[in-house]
Amino acid sequence: MSTPNLYWPVYMNLEKDFLELAEYIHFSDDQLNVYSMHIADLIIRCAIEIEAISKELYELLGGNMSTIDSNGNSRDIYFDTDCLDLLEKKWLISKKEITVSATNFYFTNASNRILTPLVKCNIRGKGKWKCAYQAIKHNRIKSLKKATIENLLYAMGALYILNLYYKNERIDIGRIYLSDHDFDSRVGSNIFSAGYCSATMLSMSPHMDDSCIDSELGDKLNKSIYVIKYTDKSFEEMHKDFCLDAEITEQRFLASSKIKQFLSEHPECTGKTINEICMDAGGIDLFKQIICFQNRQKRKDVRKEAMLNKHSGIYPELFPLSKE
């Protein structure tokens, strides 16, 4: 029996309170420094959840639960320098982007709409919302001006990201063929959308892994919370179909009298690919005769999914089909 997720309902209640606040305050770029006791309370509640969920994630990742100080004595686990630091090393959480997508939040400046709320939060004394939380917690009256909409927005964004990682979901997007829906990047939120990238442009080959992804993911992968990909089952089926088609293509190529004649007259072309030789020898008509797509064209059940980006690989490694 799986353990119930107690964190998401609490997060949604915080979202509800935040959205209600937007009914009384116009959330725009020039209002980010508005502060109040109510906002202070929301920041405190939000940060307490961040502390709790970060420690859960730390333990799930195998973090050391018996930490000691410089004198060799046991000490408490710190949510930032221990827990968030491990999440940073494993998942690059400081680079993860979210977008403010609530319809009643009227931010026009891109820096107020596209957020990286966990930047430097694994470092003691760093992270704007984290510093505000510590100040408010220890002296609410003197630090009330730190209880701003901006700090609450960032704290909520940090909690949103950690909740998505805690939920650890692979989200089915459905079949590509005649698909009627796409990935909803809000993933249940009414305030934020999660950053994502696509890894569905592939160069098919007998040996496949993440190196077959055509698109240059680069820093976009680092910023993404989700990766849109083919399901592992579909990836394996696509690979099998490609290998079967390639085998038929090779048989047709070797048996073609046009190809044989062309290569005898143009031995300098023997190092080219089958596709290139077909186009050189007879153009598109010969290409259509030789290149096989029959297995790939019959496949109508290819599915996509949104996978949580844990920087541990996107696709399984696949090898050429056995000849046995």
Side-chain angles (χ1 to χ4, degrees), residues 106-164:
Y106 303 99
F107 303 124
T108 57
N109 191 320
S111 64
N112 296 328
R113 289 186 295 105
I114 302 172
L115 313 178
T116 49
L118 286 160
V119 168
K120 297 183 179 179
C121 287
N122 60 317
I123 303 170
R124 182 63 48 81
K126 299 289 185 180
K128 188 175 179 182
W129 67 263
K130 199 181 68 170
C131 291
Y133 159 59
Q134 295 290 351
I136 295 164
K137 180 174 71 170
H138 293 296
N139 196 323
R140 190 170 299 195
I141 301 300
K142 288 185 178 180
S143 302
L144 187 59
K145 288 186 177 181
K146 295 181 183 294
T148 64
I149 291 171
E150 182 179 30
N151 284 328
L152 177 57
L153 184 69
Y154 272 77
M156 286 292 296
L159 183 57
Y160 171 64
I161 292 172
L162 295 175
N163 264 279
L164 295 182

Side-chain angles (χ1 to χ4, degrees), residues 288-303:
K288 289 179 178 178
Q289 292 173 24
I290 301 295
I291 307 301
C292 176
F293 293 99
Q294 67 184 39
N295 288 285
R296 282 169 283 181
Q297 287 176 338
K298 287 189 295 185
R299 180 71 60 187
K300 304 294 185 185
D301 56 352
V302 173
R303 301 185 76 86

